[in-house]
Amino acid sequence: MAPSGMATALIGATVFDGTRLRDGQAVLIEAGKITGVMPEAKLPKGVEKQAVSGLLAPGFIDVQVNGGGGVLFNETRTIAGIAAIGAAHRRFGTTGYLPTFITDTQASMAEAIKAADAAMQARTPGVLGIHLEGPFLNPERKGIHRADLMRSISDQDVAMIDLPAGGRVLVTLAPEKTEPATIAKLTKSGIIVAAGHTKADLATIRKAQGAGLTGITHLFNAMPPMMGREPGPVGAALEDRQLWCGLIVDLHHVSAVSLRVALAARGPERMMLVTDAMPSVGSAEDHFELLGEKIMRVDGALVNDAGTLAGSDLDMASAVRNTVRQLGVPVEDALRMASLNPAAFLRLDSELGRIALGYRADLVLLNDNYKVKATWISGARQDER
């Protein structure tokens, strides 16, 4: 490592700058920022050169991370818990993430928001804010969430949901259970709102969009299928290219055929790879407890005793690999879906998601199999073994 404040140049890798692949380029880093991308021969004198090999790309950004490294955010609502989750996912290229709190009590949600705020203030590596996935959902599309804890959003909730220390707050809710005026109040305060665990019809989704809703949480999952006369949330998302859509590409949540159809209809521009990851990611444990239920890892999927999917055992590097190899998506598009697209969804694309002058030096180095060799968060390197 270069001494603090000294400029470092990463040389030798193929660079994906957020737009295109480039060979023969050096990436200059100083004080946690990218200060240049240039041919190695044009590097200024006095720069420490670090030789790397493989594919150097913007670090992955995951807007839906329930847990990792044996830790579940709902159960460990602390800075330490958030840091442990981030450390587990960093091994798989995630350099920015939203710890995700699923349907629970109001008191527990308040603790989760405070923990995210504290993690942001402590500059915990990778934390970008918080994702509240519930409890303002439709019990008829509960998935693994507890229906008895779902409820309508109250004025007290709106007042409690605040931006943690300059970070981002994403709220997933069912539009049919929430008044457009409430959605507008949330979005006008800077909160990002997505539809999920919903059976809203097309008109309801469009009204919510008019009030500021911009995203669809895990497209296809916890929502009715698209029908000829009832397009529902899936049809709303596939028709309107302005909606940002999260995709869980573990090939358990959604079939490869459905994912390819969605990408053919929409293109990759506002599609985001998400993991919906649980504590098993980065852990050898094959089971954990989620709100009183035992969840088991079975053939790569996480399920309860009834066989209901309970989040995923997916990491972002695997999501990229699956998107390229199983869906046939060009690597440039897959990498954008894992970095620049979620950065833009979070309105952070002026500082994250590109390898360009002035951007934060959040990077991932991949080998030919899209396995992670190293990551950088604000210029601090961590090698993987």
Side-chain angles (χ1 to χ4, degrees):
M1 291 289 287
S4 178
M6 179 182 288
T8 301
L10 305 179
I11 61 173
T14 295
V15 175
F16 176 69
D17 63 9
T19 302
R20 60 194 175 100
L21 294 167
R22 303 170 67 182
D23 288 316
Q25 299 294 301
V27 177
L28 194 62
I29 299 171
E30 188 170 2
K33 299 281 188 179
I34 296 169
T35 55
V37 181
M38 64 193 73
E40 183 181 344
K42 293 187 177 182
L43 283 171
K45 294 180 180 180
V47 172
E48 179 191 356
K49 297 178 182 179
Q50 290 187 9
V52 293
S53 62
L55 174 58
L56 186 67
F60 303 145
I61 298 172
D62 192 348
V63 303
Q64 192 170 7
V65 185
N66 308 293
V71 175
L72 178 69
F73 185 34
N74 273 64
E75 298 296 329
T76 310
R77 303 179 292 273
T78 63
I79 295 178
I82 291 171
I85 292 168
H89 284 271
R90 182 172 182 175
R91 293 167 47 196
F92 304 104
T94 297
T95 59
Y97 67 102
L98 295 183
T100 300
F101 186 79
I102 71 169
T103 301
D104 209 320
T105 65
Q106 189 180 59
S108 294
M109 185 171 72
E111 290 177 4
I113 294 170
K114 288 181 180 178
D117 183 76
M120 289 292 297
Q121 292 188 50
R123 298 186 178 181
T124 303
V127 179
L128 300 176
I130 188 171
H131 180 174
L132 301 173
E133 189 188 352
F136 320 119
L137 309 175
N138 191 327
E140 295 181 51
R141 290 288 167 176
K142 66 183 181 66
I144 198 63
H145 292 231
R146 278 179 51 177
D148 63 306
L149 292 175
M150 292 180 182
R151 55 187 174 80
S152 298
I153 190 168
S154 68
D155 290 341
Q156 185 180 4
D157 293 317
V158 173
M160 180 176 64
I161 300 170
D162 199 2
L163 296 176
R168 298 293 186 262
V169 174
L170 169 59
V171 175
T172 292
L173 50 75
E176 70 274 25
K177 298 292 184 180
T178 311
E179 292 294 328
T182 301
I183 294 173
K185 190 172 183 179
L186 290 170
T187 58
K188 285 176 182 177
S189 70
I191 291 164
I192 300 164
V193 176
H197 292 269
T198 176
K199 57 180 292 186
D201 61 17
L202 178 64
T204 302
I205 294 287
R206 294 294 183 245
K207 285 180 182 178
Q209 286 181 259
L213 180 143
T214 57
I216 300 289
T217 293
H218 47 47
L219 182 66
F220 294 110
N221 296 112
M223 58 188 65
M226 178 180 173
M227 305 293 287
R229 290 186 296 276
E230 297 179 4
V234 174
L238 296 186
E239 182 195 41
D240 187 348
R241 292 192 174 214
Q242 294 305 303
L243 277 169
W244 297 92
C245 298
L247 300 177
I248 306 173
V249 189
D250 64 351
L251 308 180
H252 294 287
H253 278 76
V254 186
S255 80
V257 170
S258 295
L259 290 165
R260 284 194 287 267
V261 167
L263 288 165
R266 280 282 311 267
E269 286 76 16
R270 292 202 173 201
M271 295 297 202
M272 305 178 292
L273 299 182
V274 300
T275 63
D276 197 18
M278 285 292 185
S280 58
V281 175
S283 169
E285 297 177 8
D286 62 0
H287 67 277
F288 59 93
E289 188 171 289
L290 174 65
L291 299 174
E293 280 198 89
K294 184 178 180 180
I295 308 300
M296 299 158 288
R297 181 194 282 140
V298 180
D299 297 329
L302 300 177
V303 295
N304 65 3
D305 286 335
T308 301
L309 287 169
S312 86
D313 194 39
L314 182 68
D315 61 78
M316 283 295 278
S318 295
V320 168
R321 182 167 54 252
N322 289 344
T323 300
V324 173
R325 295 188 172 172
Q326 303 301 320
L327 304 187
V329 172
V331 64
E332 299 96 323
D333 289 339
L335 291 171
R336 271 190 292 271
M337 290 165 66
S339 55
L340 184 57
N341 288 6
F345 173 60
L346 296 176
R347 302 190 292 267
L348 291 170
D349 51 319
S350 63
E351 57 185 286
L352 296 174
R354 295 184 189 274
I355 299 179
L357 177 65
Y359 276 69
R360 194 187 307 175
D362 286 7
L363 310 167
V364 58
L365 182 67
L366 303 169
N367 67 14
D368 292 342
N369 196 35
Y370 305 108
K371 296 288 183 72
V372 174
K373 299 175 70 175
T375 56
W376 291 256
I377 295 181
S378 295
R381 177 172 176 166
Q382 176 176 297
D383 292 326
E384 302 305 328
R385 296 288 185 263

